[in-house]
Amino acid sequence: MVADKKVIDLAACPRWDLERHFGYKNPSDPAIDADLGALEVQCKQFQQNYDGKLDEHLLQAIRVYESIVTGSSKISSYISLSYDTQLENTELQKRKGAINQRMAEVSGDYLTFFELQLAELPDDAVHKQMEATPELRSFDAYIKDTRKEKPHNLSQEVERALTVRSPYTGTSNVVDFYERALSKLRFQLDDEKDLNLEVLLSRLSNSKDAGVRQRALQTLNDGLEQVEDVAALSLNVVMGSWLIEKKERNHTAVRSRRNLSNNVPDKVVDALLEAVRGAGTPLCKRHYSLKKALLHKTQGLDKFTWADRNAALDIGAKDQDETYTWEEAVAAVKSGYQKFSPTMADLFQGMVDEKRIDVPAVDGKKGGAYCSAAVPGIGPFQLLNFEGTKGDVMTLAHESGHGCHDILAYPQGILQFHPPLTLAETA
């Protein structure tokens, strides 16, 4: 399975085929605008039919709302995924902004009422409809998740204003700006020029030469000085926004908002943090002591530095420069899945064959890796920054696990299939 000193041709690695799955020709396709127009008409009609009437027509309203969310998510997912591999495309950036603005206006004007009124419905009104229409019970999880937000909801006027302004004032814009700044960074490490951030981080984590790791870390630190102002501003804006949300929405702590969405009580997270504070330090020291000993034995490392924290270990390795081609990575993950679940192995192979994975670490692409569920019946899609390392193979296995989870959960519908983070990352 392992090949010696292979050079991975990133240009030959597969890219995802979004157009095949979403049915749009490109992000400028007029069909997107037509779908947006039809969606706006549907939203207007939805408000006219169900505003103030959820105490009698909850099931019908949820069905229509599910259709609306599916349609809007199809558009937003396609544009966002397209943009994440073209962060330096200014025309696509404008297109994304224009679409987000229009969708925010439509949502604010015609949909704000729905979840607020669902949260405010008396318990007996909900129970009565569930008894009269058993099919409503299939949306029980969505109804409960929506109603638990009641103590933290603001007035309809305020919620509408926040939604309409979100394309300009939300934290997502700041994060997006920060990620674009990172994507434009270029580094020189020894004889390698114009390395993007993902490739440099790969050198730092995967080189088994302590000198290379130290030079990579210094290069990284020097390069990040170019975006230190952007990083500081981004952190301040995001943290400040979360603090204001905590106060205005009456959350106990800044993290309470995230805990609520993850279906985890604050007390559970507090207990976890306290346990980590108590046991984390000695475990961390033990871990790095063992790693230092292993690196000394396998690589002759005498001094353990900050650059060595994520260093690859030689345990079981045939060659310090070993790499995996994309085909070998796919085979390794499929073999592992096959031993665990043939069903998952088939689902994984389907994602590969159907071009749902954007593989190579190339310029202008969002950093890291993720699996986007997108829309039931259309997704999932994976973004990787693959360079052929062992870590890249493990990332493929991890993100593919999310993809399998999404596919198996799709029958629950777009309002209920997506797991909270606490489940998604441990399932």
Side-chain angles (χ1 to χ4, degrees), residues 6-279:
K6 290 188 293 291
V7 176
I8 304 301
D9 184 2
L10 296 179
C13 289
R15 311 301 300 266
W16 56 25
D17 188 352
L18 300 179
E19 288 68 32
R20 168 183 175 181
H21 299 287
F22 284 91
Y24 297 127
K25 296 178 181 178
N26 53 61
S28 299
D29 193 340
I32 297 176
D33 301 284
D35 286 349
L36 273 172
L39 186 67
E40 182 172 1
V41 171
Q42 186 182 19
C43 290
K44 287 181 181 179
Q45 191 65 49
F46 175 72
Q47 184 188 45
Q48 293 172 7
N49 291 344
Y50 298 109
D51 192 352
K53 303 174 184 177
L54 299 185
D55 57 340
E56 295 182 354
H57 305 289
L58 184 55
L59 175 60
Q60 299 94 316
I62 290 179
R63 284 173 172 168
V64 177
Y65 185 70
E66 184 177 44
S67 173
I68 289 172
V69 174
T70 298
S72 63
S73 297
K74 175 185 176 183
I75 296 170
S76 61
S77 293
Y78 173 69
I79 293 297
S80 294
L81 292 169
S82 298
Y83 178 67
D84 281 352
T85 58
Q86 305 176 61
L87 296 182
E88 298 176 14
N89 185 331
T90 56
E91 290 303 314
L92 181 52
Q93 181 184 349
K94 294 177 184 178
R95 175 67 162 163
K96 179 185 177 186
I99 289 175
N100 287 344
Q101 176 187 346
R102 185 175 179 187
M103 294 182 73
E105 291 174 350
V106 171
S107 179
D109 289 342
Y110 306 119
L111 302 180
T112 303
F113 81 92
F114 178 64
E115 292 194 333
L116 293 177
Q117 292 183 14
L118 174 54
E120 291 288 342
L121 274 181
D123 290 341
D124 59 350
V126 177
H127 296 155
K128 181 179 178 180
Q129 292 188 76
M130 283 196 173
E131 291 177 358
T133 53
E135 188 178 344
L136 184 60
R137 297 172 188 169
S138 65
F139 292 101
D140 184 59
Y142 168 70
I143 293 172
K144 288 180 178 177
D145 282 346
T146 303
R147 289 171 65 77
K148 73 182 182 183
E149 297 286 347
K150 179 180 177 179
H152 312 292
N153 288 335
L154 305 177
S155 69
Q156 185 167 327
E157 292 76 14
V158 173
E159 294 288 5
R160 178 204 167 274
L162 291 173
T163 299
V164 172
R165 297 175 187 179
S166 61
Y168 308 101
T169 61
T171 58
S172 61
N173 293 319
V174 178
V175 174
D176 181 57
F177 183 76
Y178 175 61
E179 289 178 341
R180 279 191 286 117
L182 291 179
S183 74
K184 294 177 181 179
L185 291 176
R186 296 295 180 268
F187 306 87
Q188 178 174 345
L189 177 62
D190 298 333
D191 295 332
E192 295 185 287
K193 298 180 179 181
D194 294 326
L195 299 179
N196 61 43
L197 180 60
E198 288 298 316
V199 174
L200 180 64
L201 290 174
S202 178
R203 301 291 185 272
L204 175 60
S205 296
N206 294 291
S207 174
K208 295 175 183 177
D209 184 324
V212 171
R213 293 196 297 267
Q214 291 178 5
R215 293 193 296 276
L217 180 61
Q218 187 62 56
T219 299
L220 174 65
N221 290 340
D222 293 343
L224 288 178
E225 289 182 356
Q226 301 175 49
V227 294
E228 61 181 353
D229 291 341
V230 175
L233 175 62
S234 301
L235 179 60
N236 286 336
V237 171
V238 171
M239 194 61 212
S241 176
W242 277 70
L243 180 61
I244 293 172
E245 285 276 310
K246 176 256 181 184
K247 294 179 179 178
E248 295 296 323
R249 294 191 181 277
N250 196 33
H251 287 293
T252 304
V254 173
R255 72 172 68 96
S256 299
R257 171 183 164 196
R258 174 57 62 87
N259 295 343
L260 185 67
S261 67
N262 284 334
N263 292 325
V264 179
D266 284 350
K267 290 182 178 180
V268 172
V269 177
D270 291 341
L272 175 63
L273 291 172
E274 187 61 30
V276 171
R277 291 188 188 103

Side-chain angles (χ1 to χ4, degrees), residues 178-424:
Y178 175 61
E179 289 178 341
R180 279 191 286 117
L182 291 179
S183 74
K184 294 177 181 179
L185 291 176
R186 296 295 180 268
F187 306 87
Q188 178 174 345
L189 177 62
D190 298 333
D191 295 332
E192 295 185 287
K193 298 180 179 181
D194 294 326
L195 299 179
N196 61 43
L197 180 60
E198 288 298 316
V199 174
L200 180 64
L201 290 174
S202 178
R203 301 291 185 272
L204 175 60
S205 296
N206 294 291
S207 174
K208 295 175 183 177
D209 184 324
V212 171
R213 293 196 297 267
Q214 291 178 5
R215 293 193 296 276
L217 180 61
Q218 187 62 56
T219 299
L220 174 65
N221 290 340
D222 293 343
L224 288 178
E225 289 182 356
Q226 301 175 49
V227 294
E228 61 181 353
D229 291 341
V230 175
L233 175 62
S234 301
L235 179 60
N236 286 336
V237 171
V238 171
M239 194 61 212
S241 176
W242 277 70
L243 180 61
I244 293 172
E245 285 276 310
K246 176 256 181 184
K247 294 179 179 178
E248 295 296 323
R249 294 191 181 277
N250 196 33
H251 287 293
T252 304
V254 173
R255 72 172 68 96
S256 299
R257 171 183 164 196
R258 174 57 62 87
N259 295 343
L260 185 67
S261 67
N262 284 334
N263 292 325
V264 179
D266 284 350
K267 290 182 178 180
V268 172
V269 177
D270 291 341
L272 175 63
L273 291 172
E274 187 61 30
V276 171
R277 291 188 188 103
T281 300
L283 286 174
C284 185
K285 289 181 177 179
R286 182 185 177 198
H287 167 79
Y288 284 124
S289 294
L290 290 171
K291 186 160 191 174
K292 178 181 178 180
L294 286 170
L295 288 174
H296 176 72
K297 183 176 182 179
T298 59
Q299 298 180 16
L301 185 70
D302 292 323
K303 184 179 179 180
F304 190 84
T305 70
W306 191 258
D308 302 314
R309 291 174 305 124
N310 295 327
L313 297 174
D314 289 337
I315 301 174
K318 293 182 178 179
D319 188 275
Q320 69 171 18
D321 296 321
E322 63 181 334
T323 53
Y324 291 75
T325 66
W326 171 246
E327 292 75 17
E328 288 171 336
V330 169
V333 173
K334 184 176 182 180
S335 175
Y337 276 7
Q338 187 71 37
K339 295 174 184 177
F340 171 73
S341 166
T343 298
M344 287 186 68
D346 290 342
L347 293 175
F348 166 71
Q349 189 64 54
M351 287 184 274
V352 174
D353 294 342
E354 295 168 10
K355 294 187 176 181
R356 297 181 176 277
I357 308 176
D358 200 86
V359 178
V362 294
D363 294 345
K365 185 175 181 179
K366 186 172 184 176
Y370 67 71
C371 180
S372 170
V375 182
I378 295 180
F381 300 95
Q382 294 182 50
L383 180 143
L384 307 177
N385 276 279
F386 182 85
E387 274 212 303
T389 68
K390 283 184 177 180
D392 291 335
V393 178
M394 289 188 284
T395 297
L396 172 63
H398 174 90
E399 300 302 342
S400 297
H402 287 307
C404 292
H405 192 170
D406 291 335
I407 294 170
L408 295 172
Y410 280 156
Q412 301 297 325
I414 197 165
L415 299 179
Q416 300 185 121
F417 85 88
H418 205 284
L421 188 66
T422 42
L423 174 60

